[in-house]
Amino acid sequence: MKKLTALIFAAALTCTAIFADENLFSISMGLASGIPVYGTDSIISSGKEIDKPNRVIIGTTTSFNLNLIKQVTFFTGGDTLFDFVWDSKQYANKIHVSFPLGLKIYPGIGGFNAGLAYTLGFRIDSINTTEHEHEGISTWGNGFRLSLEYNFAHEGNSRFLPSIGGYWNLMPRGNKSYDNLIVLYIAANF
């Protein structure tokens, strides 16, 4: 009986060092912007045929996190990136939507983490230029996402502190062409 009690006590003491300070489940939601780098064969219009265009790139990121231990977080969620290019009569808009599933590794430097995720997603192109006139063309793909992030809520001081980070999402679009999305974001943690 003494051995069993000692074993349970030793296991509990060991586990307190590795259990996460965050809640078991958490949600992060944020705003993003970035630079989409399109493969030459993955788009119909780059928007460069529009003379003196306006351009806005904005997006969102959401993740549902499972925080079992301090060093590893499993997550899934959704990312969007809106790339709007237009002038008074023409437009070349693209909407990227992806669903990552992966993990974040905390190497012990505060809330700094590196993530790797499998992504499944699509892009919708809505284009009306002098050279191209297409509405609602969608392309699907699956790829991966590499991320670096600092989560200020990871140390358990307050779960409402933000996260800042960035990711690179490589998404195949067919014809041996790829979209490279380089995105920076700030997110609130709940």
Side-chain angles (χ1 to χ4, degrees), residues 105-114 149-155 163-164:
I105 305 292
Y106 291 85
I109 307 171
F112 175 77
N113 66 74
E149 178 186 74
Y150 196 91
N151 181 350
F152 291 96
H154 182 68
E155 294 296 310
S163 297
I164 58 171

Side-chain angles (χ1 to χ4, degrees), residues 46-122:
S46 64
K48 292 180 180 173
E49 62 272 15
I50 300 174
D51 195 30
K52 297 180 182 176
N54 301 300
R55 187 170 190 182
V56 172
I57 302 171
I58 192 163
T60 62
T61 183
T62 303
S63 66
F64 301 95
N65 309 303
L66 177 62
N67 308 301
L68 292 177
I69 60 175
K70 283 183 190 179
Q71 295 81 11
V72 179
T73 295
F74 298 96
F75 73 96
T76 186
D79 297 324
T80 60
L81 192 67
F82 302 93
D83 182 6
F84 298 129
V85 179
W86 77 96
D87 68 6
S88 61
K89 297 179 183 176
Q90 305 175 88
Y91 57 87
N93 302 325
K94 294 156 202 66
I95 301 171
H96 299 267
V97 179
S98 62
F99 305 99
L101 173 65
L103 58 96
K104 297 176 185 177
I105 305 292
Y106 291 85
I109 307 171
F112 175 77
N113 66 74
L116 175 64
Y118 164 78
T119 58
L120 173 66
F122 60 91

